[in-house]
Each structure stands twice: as C-alpha cells, then as structure tokens.
Amino acid sequence: MVPRPRYSLLGLLALLAVPVQAAPLAPRAPIQSPQPAPTFIPAGARGSLVVLTPQGPPLTAQENQTVSIPVAGKVDAIEFPQGTILTGQFRRGVEGQGTFTFETLLLNNKVYRINANSDPLPTSFQSASREFLGAPITERREYQRGNATSEYSGAGGSLLGLLPGFGPAAVAVGAVGSIVGTTQRTQAVDKGTGRQEAALDGVLSSVLVTQVASLQTLSVYFLEEVNLENPLATLNQSQK
C-alpha cells in the first residue's frame, strides 16, 4: 500500500500564497486628434462631381447663358455635399466643344467667388425660335407706340389753346408740331420693324448649346485658390 503524502497546515497555506501572474494587457491604440477642416480649395484642384438636376429632360445651356448646376462630390480634400451649386456661363470652345466657366460656388450655405472651368463638353446647334429673336423687335415697336399715345394725349390737351379762353395760340402751334413729329417717328419705327420681322421669316439663326443630364459626371478644374473662410455671403434658412 502506497502511503499518501502528508501536508501540514503551514504547507498548504504556503501553496495558496503563491501569486498567480496575470496575462499582459494589450497596448492601447494612440488616440488620434481630429483633423482640422480644410480652409481653402487650392489652385489646380480638380474634382469629378455628380450633377443633381431633377430627373427628366436634360438641362440645356445656350452659349453665354448663365446657368446654375446642382452638384455633389469631392474636389481635392473638400466635400461638396448635396445642396452645392455651381453658377457660371457656357462658352464656345474648339473643335465643336464648349466649357462651363463657373464664377460662383454655393457650398454649405455660403457663397464664394471662384474661377473654375469644366472639362470640354460636346455641343450642337439649336435653331432659335422666331418668338425669342423677335421679342426685342416687337418690344421696340410697342415702346414707340406707347410713347406716341402719351405724346398725342399731351398735344391734344394743348390744342385746347385754339379755342377762345383756353390759352395762347402759340401753345397750339407747338402741339400740332408735336403730333406731326410723333407720327413720323412711329411710321419710321413701324417700317423698320416690318423689315426686320420679314427677315426673321426668311432666316433664323442657330445658337450653340450643350446638355447636362441628371447623374452625369462633370469634371471641374479650379484655376485660382478659394478661401473658404472668406465667403461673399452666408445664406440663412429662408434664403436656401
């Protein structure tokens, strides 16, 4: 029979008192401080922005026409969130292409003056409507006729001087001259306007246009630095 080992009370207490080594703690990751927000768009920055015009027919921009294009995306390190708007004009380029020249930027409810261009876009020619081209001509005729009506009314009142008791006859002579001059000017305007409208019926000019569709990518290049801490204006809720 194998004798069992005998432990004294002091021996057992000594065994229990042996310290247990704890597992080493994993090193903590260093706490990174938040990066400061960029304060400018550098000259030479380029970004591909998504056009956010409403779904439907594409936006048509005519040569030298001012347009506002809602976009979103990123330029350099600057986020362009939804609600960003680029405003500028469409300019004729070379080899049947054109570019947008942007002059203002609405970013995070702040308006900035910028100098930026889009990459070249395809163009086409669109016939201008007779109503569009003829509007200034018709407006000129109506303006002259309105002036003539006022001058006739004033001259007619002056002609009361011809009647006894209504003032000197010299006033009436001037009134007659005013009526004659007004009639001659109106006839000249009508004659010139008629020739211009006849020319419109024969030949209609065409204008250079481009189209920008919803969700289309628009590449934009900034020619000058934009200081984001110096906006032209800040919009409030009612101005959005």
Side-chain angles (χ1 to χ4, degrees):
M1 183 174 181
V2 179
R4 294 182 179 179
R6 300 178 66 183
Y7 297 100
S8 66
L9 180 59
L10 292 176
L12 291 174
L13 291 176
L15 290 174
L16 293 175
V18 175
V20 178
Q21 188 174 4
L25 296 175
R28 291 184 179 181
I31 300 176
Q32 295 182 350
S33 57
Q35 295 294 323
T39 58
F40 65 92
I41 301 174
R46 180 183 292 275
S48 293
L49 306 175
V50 177
V51 176
L52 297 180
T53 53
Q55 294 287 343
L59 170 68
T60 299
Q62 297 181 359
E63 183 179 7
N64 300 324
Q65 177 187 12
T66 299
V67 294
S68 295
I69 304 177
V71 296
K74 192 173 184 178
V75 173
D76 198 63
I78 309 297
E79 295 287 345
F80 281 25
Q82 186 173 353
T84 301
I85 297 177
L86 290 166
T87 300
Q89 294 183 326
F90 180 63
R91 304 291 190 185
R92 184 186 299 260
V94 296
E95 298 181 355
Q97 295 182 319
T99 60
F100 284 108
T101 300
F102 295 113
E103 299 167 349
T104 58
L105 165 69
L106 173 61
L107 176 65
N108 296 324
N109 300 326
K110 295 180 179 180
V111 180
Y112 300 93
R113 177 73 66 186
I114 65 172
N115 181 8
N117 290 343
S118 72
D119 278 354
L121 298 168
T123 62
S124 61
F125 284 96
Q126 185 179 78
S127 295
S129 67
R130 186 185 191 282
E131 290 76 13
F132 175 77
L133 292 176
I137 298 172
T138 304
E139 192 173 318
R140 177 168 170 258
R141 170 189 278 167
E142 297 303 322
Y143 177 78
Q144 172 58 28
R145 287 181 174 176
N147 281 350
T149 299
S150 299
E151 291 180 21
Y152 286 148
S153 297
S158 298
L159 279 174
L160 293 176
L162 286 173
L163 301 178
F166 284 91
V171 177
V173 173
V176 172
S178 175
I179 291 175
V180 172
T182 300
T183 302
Q184 290 175 342
R185 287 197 304 273
T186 302
Q187 289 174 344
V189 169
D190 282 343
K191 186 176 180 180
T193 301
R195 286 197 299 266
Q196 291 173 315
E197 290 176 334
L200 279 179
D201 288 332
V203 178
L204 290 178
S205 65
S206 297
V207 293
L208 189 72
V209 300
T210 192
Q211 292 186 327
V212 181
S214 179
L215 303 182
Q216 173 181 334
T217 299
L218 187 67
S219 183
V220 177
Y221 176 76
F222 282 75
L223 302 174
E224 296 178 2
E225 178 182 300
V226 181
N227 184 356
L228 299 180
E229 295 184 329
N230 187 27
L232 293 176
T234 300
L235 305 185
N236 55 37
Q237 290 294 121
S238 64
Q239 293 174 307
K240 294 181 184 178

